[in-house]
Amino acid sequence: MSAPKQQTLASPATITGTSLHTGEKVSLTMKPAPANHGIKFRRVDLDDQPFIDAHVSKVQTVERATTLAEGSVKVHTVEHVISALVGMGVDNALIEMDANEPPIGDGSAAPFVDCIKKAGIEEQDAHLNVYEVRQPIHLETRNGSLITIVPDKKFRISCTQVGPDGRMTQFYSTEINPETYEKEIAAARTFVFYEDVEPLLEKGLIKGGSLENAIVIKGESVMSKESLRFPEEFARHKILDLVGDLMLSGKRIMGHVIAVKPGHGPNTEMAKKLSNAFATTSAMVPSVNI
């Protein structure tokens, strides 16, 4: 079997909508990019139209979302866009936005998957290299988050979501490839606990939030415009975020990610660990059917 090749978009495609935290109208265009380009964002609303690499070295804040910055230029809430690209097998893309945050859509990655399918995907000449995890990599935080990556010949994620006081505890496990990502992960929506909403509003966040683009959990009740799309929608959304945040390490990985109470903070800390591992090991191998 020949090693898989890198992939990019076949053509540009655009999605428009409202950003979650700022409430601004935004237009986002996904464009093809050359081999070994990776994923980059570009703020076309600014005079010099600056670029920001989707890399953990550019992570600035991780409160409720992952924010990247290059100097004073920022892009907020990037994890769903990156997740969709990675999940659908796109390695190289330029993401142009005319605001500082992507549209939230319905709170899932499904609108970005639709945009990718509209653009199409094409194979490139360069081989796809993946970091094969050969020794366990472990991260544990003071608030009880735990992420361990163990060897596996596929890319898998097993996630346990635990809310305050153990509420809405869910578990889901799946291999991540374009078929499973689109079918099992992409449509899982973002969620928030009711007691967390007021502090976010006080900080000037979620100005574009509504029950149409997020699930609100109040006590043991779920508030949303539609019923849950999956019995384990919260755990699946955490997997969606993990796919996007871990790609900030700069490489796809071959391994089994086991996560308990993950969040953007722990996710990006693990991305740093992976990035450091890339720099200190030669375990780069051709990918096989990830």
Side-chain angles (χ1 to χ4, degrees):
M1 180 187 298
S2 60
K5 301 292 185 69
Q6 294 179 31
Q7 296 190 127
T8 190
L9 301 166
S11 63
T14 299
I15 178 172
T16 59
T18 303
S19 59
L20 172 61
H21 289 299
T22 63
E24 294 181 20
K25 294 295 183 182
V26 57
S27 177
L28 179 150
T29 300
M30 299 180 174
K31 291 187 172 182
N36 301 311
H37 175 277
I39 298 169
K40 298 181 191 297
F41 289 84
R42 191 177 196 185
R43 289 282 306 277
V44 297
D45 57 315
L46 301 179
D47 288 341
D48 54 351
Q49 300 192 355
F51 295 88
I52 303 178
D53 287 342
H55 190 267
V56 69
S57 62
K58 307 300 181 184
V59 170
Q60 185 181 67
T61 59
V62 287
E63 184 172 12
R64 307 300 308 182
T66 300
T67 294
L68 305 178
E70 184 71 66
S72 62
V73 179
K74 300 176 183 178
V75 286
H76 303 281
T77 323
V78 298
E79 61 274 5
H80 296 177
V81 182
I82 300 171
S83 181
L85 290 164
V86 175
M88 296 302 290
V90 177
D91 304 288
N92 303 299
L94 177 61
I95 311 302
E96 293 187 345
M97 302 192 305
D98 61 3
N100 65 7
E101 188 180 7
I104 186 59
D106 63 357
S108 77
F112 300 115
V113 168
D114 291 342
C115 190
I116 291 165
K117 293 175 73 174
K118 179 182 174 183
I121 299 174
E122 68 178 22
E123 190 176 271
Q124 297 176 287
D125 289 337
H127 287 292
L128 174 63
N129 284 322
V130 176
Y131 180 78
E132 180 179 3
V133 175
R134 294 179 174 174
Q135 299 291 333
I137 305 172
H138 180 71
L139 173 74
E140 195 162 355
T141 70
R142 285 180 290 183
N143 70 352
S145 297
L146 180 154
I147 304 176
T148 299
I149 309 178
V150 298
D152 195 294
K153 290 301 182 182
K154 304 288 186 179
F155 177 35
R156 305 179 190 273
I157 301 181
S158 298
C159 176
T160 301
Q161 154 61 21
V162 184
D165 304 316
R167 284 183 290 148
M168 302 299 171
T169 298
Q170 297 180 353
F171 172 80
Y172 194 70
S173 180
T174 183
E175 179 186 338
I176 302 295
N177 58 48
E179 182 179 359
T180 60
Y181 183 87
E182 182 177 2
K183 182 179 178 182
E184 306 291 345
I185 300 300
R189 294 163 294 170
T190 194
F191 61 95
V192 64
F193 289 88
Y194 184 79
E195 57 266 36
D196 295 334
V197 172
E198 188 173 1
L200 292 174
L201 291 171
E202 288 174 353
K203 291 178 180 179
L205 300 174
I206 62 170
K207 291 178 180 176
S210 74
L211 293 180
E212 295 179 347
N213 55 38
I215 302 168
V216 177
I217 302 166
K218 186 175 183 180
E220 298 294 331
S221 301
V222 173
M223 304 162 62
S224 67
K225 286 289 188 181
E226 62 176 282
S227 58
L228 292 183
R229 295 174 176 176
F230 310 98
E232 329 81 358
E233 185 163 6
F234 309 137
R236 294 185 194 222
H237 187 80
K238 289 292 189 178
I239 291 175
L240 186 160
D241 285 343
L242 273 161
V243 171
D245 285 338
L246 292 181
M247 191 59 192
L248 294 173
S249 64
K251 301 285 183 185
R252 292 179 179 269
I253 62 170
M254 184 189 298
H256 186 172
V257 180
I258 302 164
V260 178
K261 286 183 65 176
H264 297 299
N267 296 353
T268 53
E269 283 301 314
M270 178 55 80
K272 288 180 186 177
K273 279 181 170 280
L274 287 167
S275 182
N276 290 337
F278 303 157
T280 57
T281 183
S282 58
M284 293 297 298
V285 297
S287 161
V288 282
N289 297 326
I290 63 166

